[in-house]
Amino acid sequence: MAIVGAGIWGENHAKIYQAHPFCDVVAVCDQNKAKAQALAAKMNIPEHYDDYGEMFAKSGCDAVAIVTPDFAHAAVAVAAANNKKHLLIEKPLATTRDDVRAILDAVEKNNVRAMVDLHNRWSPAFNVAHQSVENGELGTPYNAYMRLNDVKWVATDMLPWAAQSSILWFLGSHSLDTLRWFFNDEVVRVYSVSREGILKGLGVDTVDTYLTTLEFKNGGVAHMENGWITPNANPCLNDIKFTILGDKGMISLDVSNHNMIQKYTDEKVTVPDVVVQHSIFGYPKGFAFESIRGFVDCILSGAEFPVSVYDAANTSIAILAIMESAKTRMPVEVVY
Ligand SMILES: NC(=O)c1ccc[n+]([C@@H]2O[C@H](COP(=O)([O-])OP(=O)(O)OC[C@H]3O[C@@H](n4cnc5c(N)ncnc54)[C@H](O)[C@@H]3O)[C@@H](O)[C@H]2O)c1
């Protein structure tokens, strides 16, 4: 593997590949050379670059992980595909229609494999719930509700580029992919209402929250809530709720506020993460890491990826429609 983007999530990619028995990271690139160099030293990666074109030409990697900010995936993905590298692209696939098309064209033209890291499909709770839909226990999905919010700190402190992205790209892409997967259908019409001001007041010029109604082609309806303004005292980084109702049954998830583990100190109460990303005897564990490991496994075995680049493309196109709806305050038909 080679990695482009030596930031927070790029380091996680490196840990997973280095822990995989049949995979190594041969090179890392960051436009900030010092970051590439530091990650190479920390994770025992032989080569580092500040120019991804040079890395693709020289490193001899089979596949590339693209872990640059949300708006900076397309140029790297197209260049990697043109160098005949398989691609694991971080979510969202891309944030403009032109970028989505450019990536699909490059993947098809070069006949490379591409997966997007929409990892909620690997979440144990969501995956088991999905099995109940697949095996017919819930009947035909009728309606659903999904909340996927972050505490404010993610927008104000964690991501230097939050103002150049949106909670819809950062978490809404996971929500929309999950809902498309449960309904096994495409969104045809959206209506979204957004609010802003809290994050702007904190110096981050981005929307606070979107409340969206989605209509699916075969009649399913879903409500989707994505916000970046959950109070920082929330015991988890995320606030995740999900309900799906079919004509034979219903399933509900409360993934963030489970009662499996609570930690109390004199300062605060927290719910340590034992589901999304953690470490057991030094090995990276959790579903956010399973998806990345799964990419390597599928490249080795030739198996299909559980989430395709076309899933991710349609998710990005539907998010653009949601943004248009929130701006125009009108329902918008999604044109793929
Ligand atoms: N799967 C998940 O749930 C998950 C979780 C966290 C982040 N992510 C995604 O991972 C991506 C990176 O997020 P992050 O938190 O690591 O961001 P980050 O800011 O910590 O790191 C991004 C790095 O990319 C580098 N970079 C930017 N443009 C570049 C270019 N053209 N060439 C080389 N390097 C470049 C920056 O210098 C920076 O070091 C985002 O798309 C984010 O949404 C996914």
Side-chain angles (χ1 to χ4, degrees):
M1 292 294 306
I3 298 170
V4 184
I8 299 173
W9 209 248
E11 179 167 339
N12 284 332
H13 275 257
K15 279 185 197 153
I16 295 151
Y17 304 133
Q18 296 298 51
H20 194 291
F22 304 115
C23 175
D24 283 314
V25 185
V26 294
V28 58
C29 168
D30 199 292
Q31 63 186 15
N32 177 338
K33 198 171 186 151
K35 284 178 88 170
Q37 190 168 16
L39 187 60
K42 183 170 180 185
M43 295 306 303
N44 222 0
I45 300 168
E47 296 174 15
H48 64 272
Y49 297 85
D50 60 6
D51 176 343
Y52 56 80
E54 189 188 348
M55 177 172 81
F56 300 151
K58 288 188 183 162
S59 72
C61 60
D62 299 311
V64 177
I66 295 159
V67 204
T68 46
D70 292 351
F71 53 87
H73 294 168
V76 189
V78 169
N82 286 342
N83 278 273
K84 310 289 180 205
K85 309 297 182 188
H86 303 303
L87 311 174
L88 174 52
I89 305 167
E90 264 310 330
K91 53 87 223 174
L93 174 66
T95 58
T96 69
R97 190 175 272 271
D98 285 350
D99 279 359
V100 168
R101 194 63 254 166
I103 296 173
L104 294 182
D105 287 347
V107 165
E108 287 164 7
K109 183 180 86 191
N110 292 292
N111 201 21
V112 292
R113 302 193 63 197
M115 182 181 123
V116 179
D117 190 16
L118 288 161
H119 64 204
N120 214 44
R121 297 188 188 207
W122 281 257
S123 160
F126 280 95
N127 198 291
V128 168
H130 188 264
Q131 290 169 38
S132 304
V133 173
E134 267 180 316
N135 68 21
E137 269 179 290
L138 304 188
T140 304
Y142 202 71
N143 66 40
Y145 167 74
M146 184 163 182
R147 176 199 294 185
L148 182 52
N149 295 336
D150 263 339
V151 296
K152 281 186 204 118
W153 173 85
V154 173
T156 56
D157 291 73
M158 187 184 115
L159 297 173
W161 40 266
Q164 292 156 274
S165 186
S166 153
I167 189 62
L168 275 178
W169 294 122
F170 195 68
L171 289 187
S173 52
H174 284 305
S175 308
L176 201 52
D177 176 64
T178 303
L179 289 162
R180 289 178 58 263
W181 184 48
F182 272 83
F183 281 93
N184 190 23
D185 202 1
E186 294 300 343
V187 178
V188 288
R189 200 158 184 260
V190 299
Y191 177 58
S192 188
V193 178
S194 66
R195 288 289 180 265
E196 52 191 56
I198 296 177
L199 290 170
K200 282 190 175 164
L202 294 168
V204 184
D205 187 4
T206 192
V207 171
D208 293 332
T209 186
Y210 290 88
L211 296 174
T212 307
T213 303
L214 307 166
E215 289 184 61
F216 286 87
K217 194 162 91 216
N218 293 321
V221 186
H223 279 158
M224 184 173 108
E225 174 183 338
N226 298 109
W228 244 342
I229 49 164
T230 301
N232 286 333
N234 197 58
C236 295
L237 211 62
N238 301 121
D239 182 10
I240 311 174
K241 306 277 184 295
F242 180 78
T243 297
I244 184 148
L245 172 87
D247 56 6
K248 290 191 188 150
M250 181 177 93
I251 201 158
S252 282
L253 314 183
D254 182 350
V255 185
S256 40
N257 295 309
H258 53 73
N259 285 321
M260 207 172 357
I261 178 166
Q262 299 100 29
K263 182 162 74 179
Y264 304 92
T265 65
D266 284 335
E267 286 77 40
K268 58 185 179 180
V269 185
T270 49
V271 178
D273 176 17
V274 292
V275 178
V276 188
Q277 44 167 314
H278 52 281
S279 154
I280 306 276
F281 297 129
Y283 283 94
K285 296 284 182 189
F287 74 81
F289 296 162
E290 284 312 321
S291 56
I292 298 171
R293 196 174 283 127
F295 169 80
V296 176
D297 293 342
C298 288
I299 289 288
L300 290 169
S301 68
E304 249 182 60
F305 300 125
V307 52
S308 76
V309 70
Y310 298 100
D311 285 312
N314 286 355
T315 294
S316 281
I317 298 297
I319 287 178
L320 287 166
I322 294 172
M323 288 175 158
E324 188 188 331
S325 171
K327 255 199 196 115
T328 58
R329 306 184 69 114
M330 294 295 288
V332 170
E333 310 285 327
V334 188
V335 181
Y336 292 101

